Amino acid sequence: MGWRGQLSQHLKELRILLCQTSPSSSSARAFVEKNYKDLKTLNPKLPILIREANGIEPQLWARYDMGVERGIKLNGLSEAQISKALEDLVKVGAALKA
């Protein structure tokens, strides 16, 4: 299970912003298609929001306790790099709780 099962322990909300058609969002779209089901199964009560808007730059946002948010721009990142970015956001959440 690892860090993927700990999302709901360290995050209050996860948002992924992407464009439905732009090449810059292609990795983000692929990441969502391949990982959403697994992440939601492991974290059924965590809000995982997919926000699509025409021409938007792909981004990953995590909301923590007390309204603290951290975002990462996904433009040019591969699916593996997006997964690593999400893992890093989970680690930030763990550090904030410590």
Side-chain angles (χ1 to χ4, degrees):
M1 179 166 71
W3 65 267
R4 290 174 168 264
Q6 297 176 354
L7 264 72
S8 57
Q9 294 173 15
H10 302 298
L11 304 179
K12 294 294 182 188
E13 177 184 276
L14 178 65
R15 284 190 315 276
I16 301 172
L17 288 66
L18 51 85
C19 176
Q20 306 95 316
T21 57
S22 74
S24 64
S25 290
S26 62
S27 291
R29 287 192 304 271
F31 176 82
V32 169
E33 289 172 10
K34 292 180 183 174
N35 294 283
Y36 177 84
K37 184 178 178 182
D38 184 44
L39 292 173
K40 195 62 182 175
T41 300
L42 293 171
N43 304 279
K45 294 186 179 187
L46 177 70
I48 301 176
L49 310 174
I50 311 302
R51 298 292 183 239
E52 297 176 324
N54 192 28
I56 194 168
E57 181 179 2
Q59 301 173 33
L60 180 64
W61 286 88
R63 185 170 52 86
Y64 306 101
D65 286 330
M66 307 296 284
V68 175
E69 291 191 350
R70 296 275 193 279
I72 297 175
K73 294 181 181 189
L74 304 178
N75 199 6
L77 298 183
S78 68
E79 288 178 57
Q81 290 170 320
I82 293 172
S83 184
K84 176 68 172 129
L86 178 54
E87 182 180 1
D88 291 344
L89 289 173
V90 172
K91 289 177 183 177
V92 168
L96 289 172
K97 286 193 171 197

